[in-house]
Amino acid sequence: MKNEFIFLGAPASGKGTQTKKLAEDLSIPHIDTGGMLRTAVADGTEFGKIAKSYMDQGKLVPAEIVVGIVRERLHKSDCNNGFILDGFPRSIEQAEALEKILGEINNNDAKTLVVNIDTSEDVLIERIINRRSCKDCGAIYNIKFLPAKVAGICDKCGGELVQRKDDTEGVAKSRLETYKMQTQPLIKFYSDKNILVNIDGNREVDQIYEDIKQNI
Ligand code: AMP
C-alpha cells in the first residue's frame, strides 16, 4: 500500500515541523512547495523571479507555476512508495489539479490521507514572528517555544539560524488572510470525501506528533 499524505494548516500551524519528522520516520519524500519556491528565488530562476513578488506580499504564487513544480516532483521515482505534501494544495484550483496528477501517477494501490492541523489564530502570529530556520538544513526553531541549544546556531548541522523574509508581522497577517480566503475551503473539500483527520495544533510538538501517528 502506498501512503500519500496531504497536510493542511495555517502558516506556523506546525505543518513543516511535523511533516519533516513524519517523512524521516516513514522514509518517504517530504515535498514542501514553500521551500522549493524559496530555492527557486535564491537561485534566481525564471519561476523564482515571478514567485518572489507574490511571496514577499504573502500571496499565493500563480497555480500554473506551483502545479508544474509539483507535477514534475511527483513523477520522480522516489515517490513510488508514497510522499508527504507540505503546503500544497493551497486552493480548490490546486486540489483539482492534484487529483489529475495523482490519476497520472497512481494505480489502485494508493491511499490518500489529509491531515489538518488546527491551530488558533492568536498563537499563529506569535509563532510566526518568533520562528527561525536553519539556512543550511531547513530545521525549524522558535526563539520562545523551541529554542536552539546555542542561540542562532542549528542543533542538527551547526548552520546559521535566520528569520524568513515573510515571517514579519505585516506579511504574516497577509499570509493568514490568504489562508482563510483560499486554503481553508479545502477542509470542507476533503472532509466531504471522508479522507480528512483534524489534529489539535495548540500543543507541544511531541504531543501533536503522537496524535498524528495514532491517526494515520
Ligand atoms: P510556506 O513556506 O509554506 O509558508 O510558503 C511560503 C510562501 O510560498 C507562501 O506564502 C506562498 O507565497 C508560496 N507558496 C508555497 N506553497 C504554495 C502553493 N501551494 N501555492 C501558491 N503559493 C505557494
Side-chain angles (χ1 to χ4, degrees), residues 33-34 37-38 55 59 61 66 87-88 90 94 164 175:
T33 46
L37 289 166
R38 279 188 289 282
M55 294 170 80
K59 292 185 181 159
V61 171
V66 187
F88 182 92
R90 259 175 151 104
Q94 293 182 13
R164 270 169 51 175
R175 287 164 64 207

Side-chain angles (χ1 to χ4, degrees), residues 165-204:
K165 207 175 164 214
D166 59 351
D167 273 350
T168 56
E169 193 164 354
V171 184
K173 285 193 172 143
S174 154
R175 287 164 64 207
L176 279 178
E177 240 356 85
T178 303
Y179 166 77
K180 277 193 230 161
M181 300 291 292
Q182 290 172 275
T183 310
Q184 219 164 31
L186 290 177
I187 298 173
K188 182 170 184 329
F189 180 89
Y190 286 121
S191 44
D192 284 351
K193 294 178 189 288
N194 290 319
I195 55 170
L196 181 130
V197 292
N198 279 302
I199 300 288
D200 174 6
N202 302 301
R203 296 174 296 169
E204 300 281 319

Side-chain angles (χ1 to χ4, degrees), residues 11-211:
S13 58
K15 275 195 313 323
T17 305
Q18 299 295 335
T19 49
K20 279 199 186 107
K21 228 168 138 74
L22 187 63
E24 253 177 55
D25 268 7
L26 301 179
S27 302
I28 53 177
H30 167 239
I31 301 175
D32 156 27
T33 46
M36 290 160 99
L37 289 166
R38 279 188 289 282
T39 302
V41 171
D43 292 348
T45 66
E46 278 313 303
F47 283 163
K49 283 180 197 149
I50 302 170
K52 184 177 186 308
S53 61
Y54 292 91
M55 294 170 80
D56 285 351
Q57 294 173 66
K59 292 185 181 159
L60 293 190
V61 171
E64 57 270 27
I65 294 184
V66 187
V67 169
I69 293 175
V70 172
R71 170 173 282 112
E72 196 178 308
R73 183 68 189 85
L74 290 182
H75 273 274
K76 293 207 167 136
S77 59
D78 63 342
C79 293
N80 287 347
N81 296 323
F83 51 81
I84 301 180
L85 284 172
D86 168 9
F88 182 92
R90 259 175 151 104
S91 66
I92 299 282
E93 182 188 6
Q94 293 182 13
E96 286 168 349
L98 177 62
E99 293 197 332
K100 274 202 197 139
I101 301 172
L102 296 182
E104 291 159 16
I105 61 171
N106 284 336
N107 307 316
N108 295 324
D109 64 336
K111 182 175 160 225
T112 309
L113 182 70
V114 182
V115 178
N116 177 45
I117 305 189
D118 191 7
T119 314
S120 47
E121 201 174 322
D122 47 348
V123 302
L124 293 172
I125 294 275
E126 174 94 355
R127 278 198 196 161
I128 292 178
I129 57 183
N130 290 309
R131 178 160 64 183
R132 299 291 181 272
S133 54
C134 175
K135 232 174 149 179
D136 298 331
C137 76
I140 302 165
Y141 297 86
N142 184 293
I143 49 179
K144 274 198 179 162
F145 312 116
L146 190 66
K149 291 191 185 104
V150 180
I153 307 287
C154 180
D155 292 350
K156 293 185 182 145
C157 77
E160 185 193 350
L161 302 185
V162 292
Q163 182 174 35
R164 270 169 51 175
K165 207 175 164 214
D166 59 351
D167 273 350
T168 56
E169 193 164 354
V171 184
K173 285 193 172 143
S174 154
R175 287 164 64 207
L176 279 178
E177 240 356 85
T178 303
Y179 166 77
K180 277 193 230 161
M181 300 291 292
Q182 290 172 275
T183 310
Q184 219 164 31
L186 290 177
I187 298 173
K188 182 170 184 329
F189 180 89
Y190 286 121
S191 44
D192 284 351
K193 294 178 189 288
N194 290 319
I195 55 170
L196 181 130
V197 292
N198 279 302
I199 300 288
D200 174 6
N202 302 301
R203 296 174 296 169
E204 300 281 319
V205 171
D206 292 344
Q207 283 177 309
I208 300 174
Y209 191 64
E210 277 316 305
D211 201 5

